[in-house]
Amino acid sequence: IGYYLNISIDGIIGIIVSLLIIYTGYEIAKEVVSILLGTSPTPELVEKINTIIMKNETIVGLHDLNVHDYGPGRSVASVHVEVLDYLNLVEAHTIIDKIEKKILNELGIDIVIHVDPISESNNTDY
């Protein structure tokens, strides 16, 4: 083209290709950065997790829910649940295992649940 039109087209085409590459890189980075930095879980997801956990009558409350999304099918979470202090360790562990498996099966989130015993008599945490 440059031969027939007497224009140096190589430089112009080089700039156009460079701008296209920069634009494409920006669009890809924009999509991935939110995953790398982490995004807050949706209120619906938080409510689903809370509902599954609180369905068990031995759970008094929960706090410190953290959900980390590492892409499709790669979500992990942690939460502290409050149980009454008269519950024995084996019983509490069995209940928590069932809840963790239920959340994994229903929501696809690998969750770790920490048990906080609380006293029924004076409502103080240990």
Side-chain angles (χ1 to χ4, degrees), residues 45 48-49 52 75 96-111:
L45 179 61
K48 286 178 185 177
I49 293 171
I52 291 171
S75 294
I96 295 306
D97 274 351
K98 287 179 183 177
I99 294 171
E100 288 173 343
K101 288 176 185 169
K102 184 175 179 89
I103 290 173
L104 180 61
N105 291 335
E106 289 185 16
L107 304 176
I109 297 173
D110 191 14
I111 191 166

Side-chain angles (χ1 to χ4, degrees), residues 27-40:
E27 288 297 315
I28 291 171
K30 190 169 68 170
E31 289 178 20
V32 176
V33 164
S34 64
I35 293 173
L36 293 175
L37 293 178
T39 56
S40 297

Side-chain angles (χ1 to χ4, degrees), residues 48-106:
K48 286 178 185 177
I49 293 171
N50 289 344
T51 301
I52 291 171
I53 292 172
M54 294 306 294
K55 277 184 182 176
N56 192 296
E57 63 277 352
T58 58
I59 306 293
V60 178
L62 62 93
H63 58 91
D64 295 338
L65 173 63
N66 293 308
V67 180
H68 303 278
D69 187 4
Y70 297 108
R74 293 188 177 102
S75 294
V76 295
S78 65
V79 68
H80 292 232
V81 297
E82 300 166 348
V83 298
L84 295 175
D85 59 358
Y86 63 78
L87 200 63
N88 74 47
L89 184 60
V90 174
E91 196 176 1
H93 186 269
T94 302
I95 291 166
I96 295 306
D97 274 351
K98 287 179 183 177
I99 294 171
E100 288 173 343
K101 288 176 185 169
K102 184 175 179 89
I103 290 173
L104 180 61
N105 291 335
E106 289 185 16

Side-chain angles (χ1 to χ4, degrees), residues 9-25:
I9 195 86
D10 291 343
I12 295 170
I13 297 295
I15 291 172
I16 292 171
V17 169
S18 298
L19 291 174
L20 182 63
I21 291 171
I22 290 170
Y23 175 76
T24 305

